[in-house]
Amino acid sequence: KHLRRRLGSASASGRAGVPAGRAETAMAKTSAGMVEDSKYDKILYVSKDRLAEVTKTLNGGKAKDSEFTPKHIEELMYPEDQDDDKLLVPVDISGGGDGFPTTHEELVEKLGAKAAAQAIVDAAKLFEKSKSNFKKAEMPIPMTVGEWHVQMGMDEGMGEEGGEEELLEEDEEEDVEAEPEDTAPAKKKQKAA
């Protein structure tokens, strides 16, 4: 799922994520709210809970490739199934170089699932070091899944490039968006009559 206006570099892949070499504006949540700026090009947002799980598995030192699947990486980078109050945390992918993939598909394709998980864990560690490079008001801070969903909704309205699932969701949303919510059911009943 590719966002035009990215949350950090993603995503949305975060989310939030868009492939390298893109002209889209990166976004991050700061103490001032959502901010668009190219300084967030190397920031992605990932699920805090899932990052902790992946980190624990990898830090055990005996993690097998079979313990990580593309689905794990997708859920880490696109936590659409989590409750709105769950947190997403910023990670810094600048350590991966300019060609570092910002979508879960590209990341798994390029590195494999286990190495992709390790790359995200490394990016989280790097953010802890690099966050001091931001002014306090510009530093990316955690956001909730609910905030991420709201931002994704805004991004989708701006011309998201996605798969069939998003296209179906957009078609369903168009029916509702065309009419104010409070009058939509009444007008639909009139059409049926």
Side-chain angles (χ1 to χ4, degrees):
K1 298 175 182 167
H2 309 276
L3 303 178
R4 287 232 180 242
R5 273 186 359 186
R6 300 167 295 136
L7 296 180
S9 189
S11 245
S13 4
R15 284 20 53 69
V18 174
R22 61 276 175 208
E24 293 82 5
T25 304
M27 296 187 73
K29 181 180 178 185
T30 67
S31 60
M34 290 296 203
V35 177
E36 291 184 49
D37 197 302
S38 61
K39 72 177 115 219
Y40 304 121
D41 278 346
K42 295 296 182 176
I43 302 295
L44 293 178
Y45 278 85
V46 299
S47 164
K48 181 180 179 180
D49 294 343
R50 291 177 177 156
L51 178 62
E53 291 171 18
V54 167
T55 301
K56 182 178 178 182
T57 302
L58 288 169
N59 284 347
K62 297 178 183 177
K64 298 177 184 173
D65 289 349
S66 61
E67 292 182 67
F68 298 95
T69 66
K71 185 75 173 163
H72 288 117
I73 305 307
E74 178 181 4
E75 290 172 345
L76 176 64
M77 296 177 73
Y78 297 96
E80 297 171 323
D81 62 321
Q82 288 192 313
D83 292 336
D84 284 352
D85 62 343
K86 294 291 185 180
L87 285 180
L88 304 180
V89 293
V91 299
D92 181 351
I93 61 169
S94 63
D98 288 337
F100 189 86
T102 57
T103 66
H104 66 280
E105 297 100 338
E106 291 174 340
L107 194 56
V108 170
E109 183 178 314
K110 183 175 180 179
L111 303 175
K114 181 181 175 187
Q118 184 64 58
I120 296 297
V121 168
D122 292 345
K125 290 176 186 174
L126 181 58
F127 180 74
E128 289 306 312
K129 295 176 185 174
S130 67
K131 68 182 179 183
S132 63
N133 296 335
F134 291 95
K135 294 177 185 174
K136 187 174 182 175
E138 297 175 344
M139 185 177 67
I141 60 174
M143 74 173 83
T144 65
V145 170
E147 290 168 321
W148 178 71
H149 278 161
V150 167
Q151 195 59 46
M152 277 188 57
M154 292 172 68
D155 292 337
E156 287 176 359
M158 297 181 69
E160 165 145 339
E161 298 173 5
E164 293 177 31
E165 180 178 306
E166 283 111 3
L167 294 175
L168 291 173
E169 290 173 3
E170 286 176 13
D171 288 343
E172 292 169 4
E173 289 171 5
E174 285 175 12
D175 293 339
V176 174
E177 289 173 6
E179 303 168 352
E181 286 184 34
D182 57 338
T183 61
K187 288 186 178 182
K188 286 183 180 178
K189 287 179 185 173
Q190 289 174 0
K191 288 179 184 175

